[in-house]
Structures are given as structure tokens and as C-alpha cells.
Amino acid sequence: MTRRSIIKGMATAPFIGVAGRVLAPTTAHAATINAGQFSLTSRSSNSHGQFADLAAGLANSLTKVGATTVIADTNRSARALTSAPSTATAFQTGFAWDTDDQVVDYWIPQGVTTSADAYGNGLYPEGGSNKVVLVSWFFETDPDADGVDEYPLDKGLRVTFVDYSSASAPTYRHVLLVEPVKTSTGAYSFNPIRKHAGGIMWYGDLLYVVDTYKGLRVFDLRSLFQVATAEKDVCGLHTDGQYYGYGYQYVLPQSHAYDNAGTYLRYTAIGLDRASSPDSLVVSEYSLSGTVDYTDGNFNGTGSGTTTPKVVRWNLDYTDRHPASLTATEAVTVSQQKIQGVVSRNSKHYLSASNGPSGKGALRTFTSGGSTASTVCDLAVGCEDLSYHSSGASGWSYSESVIWNASEYTNKRYVYAVRADGS
């Protein structure tokens, strides 16, 4: 079963609780559990060698650039939104993709993060002036979930750099995410990453991407490569001696990984908490019916864990932008179905909850140790990941703190921010 067919099947199922009862969207019980059972292992290599060495090998043949080069080289135009899209309320700002990206059925938007995650003043790079939104997409070979791959070549993951310095005229460019490897002859190359990328988080120069079954993949935004574009169905070193990225001009290779090492955890979404001390990241789990499934893939970890959806926190080290500890510092359960995104502000957690291809989404909130979650405001149909944007971001701020969201369904694809208090 393809990734998309799994999700589409989930979207059409009824909203059923753990004990088989229907749970109202205003009822979501929460509890604190042992955080020490959740842990990560740090990994700087894959089976082909150290990520740093593989990137250095690619740099001998390709032009290496930073994210600022990509941001200055956008090639598509988005449509600015002047009012709330779809069913969303408490609208602050946002945009819609161009016509091609609205209708394409094999690329599905999922994760969202912004330069207000990257640096506290909201601008990128450090000391720079760019206002940027990043969105992740995964490739679906079977968009209509009929069991037949309409697009048999899975092109993996891409991330979109949106220059939002002019909110009235945003522009963007897609970049292919890749894993650096060596060929059978020992030549440096790269492969597509065929995962889901349900959530992303930008912190300094690092981009964190969730890997549902394994943990976290990390990409260094100072190390992208420019490649040839003529071959639309080739990724990596081709027989003509050129490097390609399925027609994209830039590729972004993985630079690190944090693999799940403790109790099973479903890495569905990720969010940055700048209100905590130190900064921290939180991960949330998707479940269809209130019970998390650990049988649908090859999960890293120590075995069956708490199957009620969880939000789990790890502290971050501001100096190198990596986790400060490999052991989680907080874990809470929340009986909320269809969690697609998470962000936290200390003990206050925000969730995006989806409701299929026609039902409105919801931004919900609960407090660690509290008993229930409540609805803040409505989100668009097909709501996905979240990103918190503080009003305290001195370089790029709004009068109130906002939360960004992305929606996934064709012709209903928006990236927008809602006011965090739901006003």
C-alpha cells in the first residue's frame, strides 16, 4: 500500500475513540507519562560513509551553494491571500501555490516552518534580511489509491523555499531532498529519499525532517548543490557523467540523523518551542481512532509503547542547533485523533487536527497535566503541519503571535497563518 493510499483510507474512516465510541472534537484527554522511555541515537553516517565525507566528495564535482542562493533564485510565483482560505478562521496572512502546484496530484504538501523558527528575529540568515517559509512535499505514486501506480517512479521528497519578503508577491523554488551515497564503482552520488516528510522544523542553518518510522533526518542549509536539469527522471550521477535531481536545479543532501532508540514512537510532526528554556523540539503522533498503529512499518525502537497519541519533547543546544540530550525531557498523552501538526509554548501545546478531504480542520490546544484539549479556531480542509511565529520576532513580526499551517488537497492548497489566540 502506498503512503497516500494509507492516508486516504484513514481520512474516510469514522471518528472513533479507543473504546469504539465517537469522540467529539472538544474532548481530548491528556496525561503526563515517563519521558525517559523516549530516546534517540545520533548518527553522522550511512552505509556509504560519513555524511560530511560524502558531501565533500560531491563538492569536488558540483557547485555548492547556501540557502540564500536559492532564496535569491526563485522561479515561481505564488498568489497572495487577502482573506481566510477554505474553512480557516482567525486569518492573518498567507498564500496559494501557482496553478501547476495546485493541481499536481503526485506531489503532496505536508510540513511547514519559517525563518521565525530559524532565528528568533524571524530573518535568515543570521544577520540577514530574508523572510522565508519552507514547505515539504512527498511524491505519491498512486494518488487515487486504487492499488495501481499511475506514476511508478517515486521521486521522494522536495522542500519549497518561499521568499516571503514581499507578502503581496511571494515567489518560490522547489529543491529535491536527497541522501548522499556512493555508486557501485565508488563514485559520489545521491539517491531520492522516499519517505513522508509529515513535519519539518528549521533551526539555525539546520532543517529537521521527520521520518515516520525511524526518527529525524537533518539537512544543512549551507550545503546545497546545483545540478543539471535536462533529465526529469534521473536522480544522482547519470551515465553521461552529469548529476541530476529529477529536473530540479538544486538538491539538498542529508547531513545527520537522529534515530529512535527508546520506546516506539511515530514521528508524524515536529515543532520548535522558543518559549522553553532551553529551546526545545516537540514531536507528535498521528492516530486515526485514538490508538497509534505500530504495525504498518519497520519502526526503530525497543517495542510496543503507549499507543495513545503523544507529544514528546527534547531540549536543544543553541550553540550547534542539535539536541542537547538524546533523552526526552517531557512526554504527554492526548486522546486526539488525526493530529497532523504540533507546536508548543512551554507547557501549552497546539495541535492541528484534520477531518478528511471535505471536513474543516481545527487548531486545538491543551496544557501539560491538564485534562482536556479545546478548539482555538478552524483550519483549512486538509490541514497539516504547524509552525509558531512569535510576535516578539523583531525583524518579522505581527501584532499578535501567529501559527502557520499548510493544507494538502489539490485545488485547496494554502500556506497561511492564524492568530494563536483564535481572535
Side-chain angles (χ1 to χ4, degrees), residues 8 15 58 84 89 101 109 161 179 199 207 214 252 269 275 282 292 314 366 372 377 386 416-417:
K8 289 185 77 172
F15 202 44
L58 289 171
T89 56
D101 287 323
F161 289 77
E179 183 167 357
L207 177 66
K214 291 179 66 69
L252 175 57
V282 289
V292 182
W314 279 269
F366 74 99
T372 60
C377 65
L386 299 175
Y416 61 97

PDB file of all heavy atoms in Angstrom, residues 8 15 58 84 89 101 109 161 179 199 207 214 252 269 275 282 292 314 366 372 377 386 416-417:
ATOM      1  N   LYS A   8      -5.419   8.259   2.622  1.00  0.00           N
ATOM      2  CA  LYS A   8      -6.771   8.438   2.111  1.00  0.00           C
ATOM      3  C   LYS A   8      -7.744   7.486   2.787  1.00  0.00           C
ATOM      4  O   LYS A   8      -8.889   7.826   3.053  1.00  0.00           O
ATOM      5  CB  LYS A   8      -6.777   8.240   0.598  1.00  0.00           C
ATOM      6  CG  LYS A   8      -6.090   9.368  -0.151  1.00  0.00           C
ATOM      7  CD  LYS A   8      -6.206   9.217  -1.641  1.00  0.00           C
ATOM      8  CE  LYS A   8      -7.569   9.615  -2.135  1.00  0.00           C
ATOM      9  NZ  LYS A   8      -7.653   9.656  -3.603  1.00  0.00           N
ATOM     10  N   PHE A  15     -14.792   8.883  13.006  1.00  0.00           N
ATOM     11  CA  PHE A  15     -14.045   9.489  14.107  1.00  0.00           C
ATOM     12  C   PHE A  15     -14.341   8.683  15.370  1.00  0.00           C
ATOM     13  O   PHE A  15     -15.256   8.986  16.123  1.00  0.00           O
ATOM     14  CB  PHE A  15     -14.516  10.937  14.232  1.00  0.00           C
ATOM     15  CG  PHE A  15     -13.557  11.861  14.907  1.00  0.00           C
ATOM     16  CD1 PHE A  15     -12.207  11.833  14.602  1.00  0.00           C
ATOM     17  CD2 PHE A  15     -14.012  12.787  15.834  1.00  0.00           C
ATOM     18  CE1 PHE A  15     -11.335  12.723  15.201  1.00  0.00           C
ATOM     19  CE2 PHE A  15     -13.137  13.666  16.432  1.00  0.00           C
ATOM     20  CZ  PHE A  15     -11.804  13.639  16.119  1.00  0.00           C
ATOM     21  N   LEU A  58      30.943  15.148  -3.219  1.00  0.00           N
ATOM     22  CA  LEU A  58      30.070  15.785  -4.200  1.00  0.00           C
ATOM     23  C   LEU A  58      30.561  17.186  -4.551  1.00  0.00           C
ATOM     24  O   LEU A  58      30.459  17.631  -5.707  1.00  0.00           O
ATOM     25  CB  LEU A  58      28.647  15.862  -3.661  1.00  0.00           C
ATOM     26  CG  LEU A  58      27.882  14.540  -3.558  1.00  0.00           C
ATOM     27  CD1 LEU A  58      26.572  14.745  -2.800  1.00  0.00           C
ATOM     28  CD2 LEU A  58      27.598  13.962  -4.943  1.00  0.00           C
ATOM     29  N   ALA A  84      -9.269  34.693   4.632  1.00  0.00           N
ATOM     30  CA  ALA A  84      -9.054  33.329   5.114  1.00  0.00           C
ATOM     31  C   ALA A  84      -9.369  32.308   4.030  1.00  0.00           C
ATOM     32  O   ALA A  84     -10.407  32.391   3.375  1.00  0.00           O
ATOM     33  CB  ALA A  84      -9.923  33.070   6.336  1.00  0.00           C
ATOM     34  N   THR A  89     -10.267  30.239  10.068  1.00  0.00           N
ATOM     35  CA  THR A  89     -10.674  31.485  10.721  1.00  0.00           C
ATOM     36  C   THR A  89      -9.443  32.094  11.382  1.00  0.00           C
ATOM     37  O   THR A  89      -8.348  31.541  11.340  1.00  0.00           O
ATOM     38  CB  THR A  89     -11.774  31.226  11.758  1.00  0.00           C
ATOM     39  OG1 THR A  89     -11.311  30.247  12.709  1.00  0.00           O
ATOM     40  CG2 THR A  89     -13.040  30.703  11.096  1.00  0.00           C
ATOM     41  N   ASP A 101       1.070  23.789  -9.198  1.00  0.00           N
ATOM     42  CA  ASP A 101       1.223  23.139  -7.902  1.00  0.00           C
ATOM     43  C   ASP A 101      -0.105  22.962  -7.171  1.00  0.00           C
ATOM     44  O   ASP A 101      -0.191  22.178  -6.228  1.00  0.00           O
ATOM     45  CB  ASP A 101       2.213  23.924  -7.035  1.00  0.00           C
ATOM     46  CG  ASP A 101       3.649  23.750  -7.504  1.00  0.00           C
ATOM     47  OD1 ASP A 101       3.997  22.628  -7.925  1.00  0.00           O
ATOM     48  OD2 ASP A 101       4.419  24.734  -7.488  1.00  0.00           O
ATOM     49  N   PRO A 109       1.784  18.489  -0.466  1.00  0.00           N
ATOM     50  CA  PRO A 109       2.408  19.309   0.586  1.00  0.00           C
ATOM     51  C   PRO A 109       2.080  18.781   1.978  1.00  0.00           C
ATOM     52  O   PRO A 109       0.973  18.305   2.227  1.00  0.00           O
ATOM     53  CB  PRO A 109       1.815  20.697   0.347  1.00  0.00           C
ATOM     54  CG  PRO A 109       0.526  20.449  -0.376  1.00  0.00           C
ATOM     55  CD  PRO A 109       0.709  19.203  -1.183  1.00  0.00           C
ATOM     56  N   PHE A 161      11.347  26.571  -1.005  1.00  0.00           N
ATOM     57  CA  PHE A 161      11.814  27.817  -0.406  1.00  0.00           C
ATOM     58  C   PHE A 161      10.942  28.948  -0.931  1.00  0.00           C
ATOM     59  O   PHE A 161      10.950  29.240  -2.130  1.00  0.00           O
ATOM     60  CB  PHE A 161      13.274  28.079  -0.768  1.00  0.00           C
ATOM     61  CG  PHE A 161      14.251  27.157  -0.104  1.00  0.00           C
ATOM     62  CD1 PHE A 161      14.427  25.859  -0.550  1.00  0.00           C
ATOM     63  CD2 PHE A 161      15.011  27.589   0.982  1.00  0.00           C
ATOM     64  CE1 PHE A 161      15.331  24.998   0.057  1.00  0.00           C
ATOM     65  CE2 PHE A 161      15.922  26.739   1.603  1.00  0.00           C
ATOM     66  CZ  PHE A 161      16.075  25.448   1.148  1.00  0.00           C
ATOM     67  N   GLU A 179      19.733  11.773  -0.261  1.00  0.00           N
ATOM     68  CA  GLU A 179      20.687  11.170   0.662  1.00  0.00           C
ATOM     69  C   GLU A 179      21.979  10.892  -0.105  1.00  0.00           C
ATOM     70  O   GLU A 179      21.956  10.220  -1.136  1.00  0.00           O
ATOM     71  CB  GLU A 179      20.150   9.881   1.256  1.00  0.00           C
ATOM     72  CG  GLU A 179      21.106   9.265   2.277  1.00  0.00           C
ATOM     73  CD  GLU A 179      20.480   8.164   3.111  1.00  0.00           C
ATOM     74  OE1 GLU A 179      19.274   7.904   2.933  1.00  0.00           O
ATOM     75  OE2 GLU A 179      21.204   7.568   3.935  1.00  0.00           O
ATOM     76  N   GLY A 199       6.326  16.481   8.803  1.00  0.00           N
ATOM     77  CA  GLY A 199       6.613  17.685   9.564  1.00  0.00           C
ATOM     78  C   GLY A 199       8.051  18.098   9.391  1.00  0.00           C
ATOM     79  O   GLY A 199       8.933  17.247   9.213  1.00  0.00           O
ATOM     80  N   LEU A 207      17.733  22.001   8.944  1.00  0.00           N
ATOM     81  CA  LEU A 207      16.350  21.643   8.684  1.00  0.00           C
ATOM     82  C   LEU A 207      16.121  20.224   9.173  1.00  0.00           C
ATOM     83  O   LEU A 207      16.771  19.283   8.715  1.00  0.00           O
ATOM     84  CB  LEU A 207      16.049  21.729   7.183  1.00  0.00           C
ATOM     85  CG  LEU A 207      14.635  21.298   6.764  1.00  0.00           C
ATOM     86  CD1 LEU A 207      13.592  22.255   7.330  1.00  0.00           C
ATOM     87  CD2 LEU A 207      14.522  21.209   5.244  1.00  0.00           C
ATOM     88  N   LYS A 214      11.576   5.995  11.702  1.00  0.00           N
ATOM     89  CA  LYS A 214      12.966   5.955  12.164  1.00  0.00           C
ATOM     90  C   LYS A 214      13.334   7.048  13.148  1.00  0.00           C
ATOM     91  O   LYS A 214      14.122   6.823  14.055  1.00  0.00           O
ATOM     92  CB  LYS A 214      13.926   6.033  10.961  1.00  0.00           C
ATOM     93  CG  LYS A 214      13.920   4.797  10.084  1.00  0.00           C
ATOM     94  CD  LYS A 214      14.867   4.955   8.906  1.00  0.00           C
ATOM     95  CE  LYS A 214      16.321   5.027   9.332  1.00  0.00           C
ATOM     96  NZ  LYS A 214      16.813   3.744   9.849  1.00  0.00           N
ATOM     97  N   LEU A 252      19.396  19.081  -1.946  1.00  0.00           N
ATOM     98  CA  LEU A 252      19.823  19.299  -0.559  1.00  0.00           C
ATOM     99  C   LEU A 252      20.085  17.946   0.079  1.00  0.00           C
ATOM    100  O   LEU A 252      19.152  17.186   0.344  1.00  0.00           O
ATOM    101  CB  LEU A 252      18.744  20.057   0.209  1.00  0.00           C
ATOM    102  CG  LEU A 252      18.967  20.265   1.716  1.00  0.00           C
ATOM    103  CD1 LEU A 252      20.276  20.987   1.996  1.00  0.00           C
ATOM    104  CD2 LEU A 252      17.784  21.039   2.317  1.00  0.00           C
ATOM    105  N   ALA A 269       4.913  14.619  13.216  1.00  0.00           N
ATOM    106  CA  ALA A 269       5.097  16.059  13.051  1.00  0.00           C
ATOM    107  C   ALA A 269       6.120  16.545  14.063  1.00  0.00           C
ATOM    108  O   ALA A 269       6.392  15.882  15.067  1.00  0.00           O
ATOM    109  CB  ALA A 269       3.775  16.793  13.217  1.00  0.00           C
ATOM    110  N   ALA A 275       9.878  29.277  23.569  1.00  0.00           N
ATOM    111  CA  ALA A 275       9.490  29.803  24.875  1.00  0.00           C
ATOM    112  C   ALA A 275      10.100  28.994  26.009  1.00  0.00           C
ATOM    113  O   ALA A 275      10.208  29.471  27.141  1.00  0.00           O
ATOM    114  CB  ALA A 275       7.973  29.816  25.015  1.00  0.00           C
ATOM    115  N   VAL A 282       9.435  19.462  19.777  1.00  0.00           N
ATOM    116  CA  VAL A 282       8.397  18.525  20.179  1.00  0.00           C
ATOM    117  C   VAL A 282       7.970  17.713  18.962  1.00  0.00           C
ATOM    118  O   VAL A 282       7.954  18.214  17.832  1.00  0.00           O
ATOM    119  CB  VAL A 282       7.178  19.235  20.806  1.00  0.00           C
ATOM    120  CG1 VAL A 282       7.526  19.784  22.174  1.00  0.00           C
ATOM    121  CG2 VAL A 282       6.643  20.331  19.899  1.00  0.00           C
ATOM    122  N   VAL A 292      -2.493   4.661  18.423  1.00  0.00           N
ATOM    123  CA  VAL A 292      -1.409   4.771  17.446  1.00  0.00           C
ATOM    124  C   VAL A 292      -1.028   3.390  16.943  1.00  0.00           C
ATOM    125  O   VAL A 292      -0.876   2.447  17.715  1.00  0.00           O
ATOM    126  CB  VAL A 292      -0.182   5.464  18.058  1.00  0.00           C
ATOM    127  CG1 VAL A 292       0.917   5.626  17.021  1.00  0.00           C
ATOM    128  CG2 VAL A 292      -0.566   6.820  18.635  1.00  0.00           C
ATOM    129  N   TRP A 314      12.300  17.143  23.327  1.00  0.00           N
ATOM    130  CA  TRP A 314      13.740  17.062  23.523  1.00  0.00           C
ATOM    131  C   TRP A 314      14.315  18.471  23.583  1.00  0.00           C
ATOM    132  O   TRP A 314      13.953  19.337  22.770  1.00  0.00           O
ATOM    133  CB  TRP A 314      14.420  16.323  22.374  1.00  0.00           C
ATOM    134  CG  TRP A 314      14.376  14.843  22.439  1.00  0.00           C
ATOM    135  CD1 TRP A 314      15.300  14.009  23.013  1.00  0.00           C
ATOM    136  CD2 TRP A 314      13.356  13.981  21.906  1.00  0.00           C
ATOM    137  NE1 TRP A 314      14.920  12.692  22.865  1.00  0.00           N
ATOM    138  CE2 TRP A 314      13.736  12.647  22.186  1.00  0.00           C
ATOM    139  CE3 TRP A 314      12.171  14.207  21.209  1.00  0.00           C
ATOM    140  CZ2 TRP A 314      12.965  11.558  21.806  1.00  0.00           C
ATOM    141  CZ3 TRP A 314      11.386  13.134  20.828  1.00  0.00           C
ATOM    142  CH2 TRP A 314      11.786  11.827  21.123  1.00  0.00           C
ATOM    143  N   PHE A 366      -3.939  22.219  24.477  1.00  0.00           N
ATOM    144  CA  PHE A 366      -4.068  21.635  25.808  1.00  0.00           C
ATOM    145  C   PHE A 366      -2.806  21.942  26.590  1.00  0.00           C
ATOM    146  O   PHE A 366      -1.774  22.328  26.027  1.00  0.00           O
ATOM    147  CB  PHE A 366      -4.330  20.124  25.737  1.00  0.00           C
ATOM    148  CG  PHE A 366      -3.138  19.298  25.351  1.00  0.00           C
ATOM    149  CD1 PHE A 366      -2.371  18.651  26.314  1.00  0.00           C
ATOM    150  CD2 PHE A 366      -2.770  19.153  24.013  1.00  0.00           C
ATOM    151  CE1 PHE A 366      -1.270  17.892  25.967  1.00  0.00           C
ATOM    152  CE2 PHE A 366      -1.676  18.390  23.653  1.00  0.00           C
ATOM    153  CZ  PHE A 366      -0.919  17.756  24.632  1.00  0.00           C
ATOM    154  N   THR A 372      -8.170  18.126  29.404  1.00  0.00           N
ATOM    155  CA  THR A 372      -8.810  18.138  28.088  1.00  0.00           C
ATOM    156  C   THR A 372      -8.147  19.158  27.170  1.00  0.00           C
ATOM    157  O   THR A 372      -7.459  20.080  27.611  1.00  0.00           O
ATOM    158  CB  THR A 372     -10.307  18.478  28.188  1.00  0.00           C
ATOM    159  OG1 THR A 372     -10.440  19.769  28.783  1.00  0.00           O
ATOM    160  CG2 THR A 372     -11.047  17.447  29.009  1.00  0.00           C
ATOM    161  N   CYS A 377      -9.430  27.621  16.917  1.00  0.00           N
ATOM    162  CA  CYS A 377     -10.082  28.165  15.726  1.00  0.00           C
ATOM    163  C   CYS A 377     -10.149  27.073  14.666  1.00  0.00           C
ATOM    164  O   CYS A 377      -9.508  26.023  14.799  1.00  0.00           O
ATOM    165  CB  CYS A 377      -9.348  29.393  15.187  1.00  0.00           C
ATOM    166  SG  CYS A 377      -7.674  29.066  14.584  1.00  0.00           S
ATOM    167  N   LEU A 386       2.269  22.503  11.589  1.00  0.00           N
ATOM    168  CA  LEU A 386       2.179  23.802  12.228  1.00  0.00           C
ATOM    169  C   LEU A 386       3.565  24.393  12.475  1.00  0.00           C
ATOM    170  O   LEU A 386       4.549  23.661  12.623  1.00  0.00           O
ATOM    171  CB  LEU A 386       1.460  23.693  13.577  1.00  0.00           C
ATOM    172  CG  LEU A 386       0.018  23.201  13.595  1.00  0.00           C
ATOM    173  CD1 LEU A 386      -0.458  23.049  15.035  1.00  0.00           C
ATOM    174  CD2 LEU A 386      -0.903  24.141  12.816  1.00  0.00           C
ATOM    175  N   TYR A 416      -0.715  29.437   5.293  1.00  0.00           N
ATOM    176  CA  TYR A 416      -1.301  30.622   5.891  1.00  0.00           C
ATOM    177  C   TYR A 416      -1.050  30.618   7.390  1.00  0.00           C
ATOM    178  O   TYR A 416      -0.712  29.588   7.990  1.00  0.00           O
ATOM    179  CB  TYR A 416      -2.814  30.644   5.613  1.00  0.00           C
ATOM    180  CG  TYR A 416      -3.551  29.466   6.195  1.00  0.00           C
ATOM    181  CD1 TYR A 416      -4.211  29.568   7.426  1.00  0.00           C
ATOM    182  CD2 TYR A 416      -3.539  28.229   5.564  1.00  0.00           C
ATOM    183  CE1 TYR A 416      -4.857  28.481   7.982  1.00  0.00           C
ATOM    184  CE2 TYR A 416      -4.190  27.140   6.108  1.00  0.00           C
ATOM    185  CZ  TYR A 416      -4.838  27.258   7.316  1.00  0.00           C
ATOM    186  OH  TYR A 416      -5.464  26.177   7.871  1.00  0.00           O
ATOM    187  N   ALA A 417      -1.217  31.779   7.997  1.00  0.00           N
ATOM    188  CA  ALA A 417      -1.037  31.913   9.436  1.00  0.00           C
ATOM    189  C   ALA A 417      -2.337  32.375  10.074  1.00  0.00           C
ATOM    190  O   ALA A 417      -3.030  33.253   9.541  1.00  0.00           O
ATOM    191  CB  ALA A 417       0.069  32.925   9.733  1.00  0.00           C
TER     192      ALA A 417
END
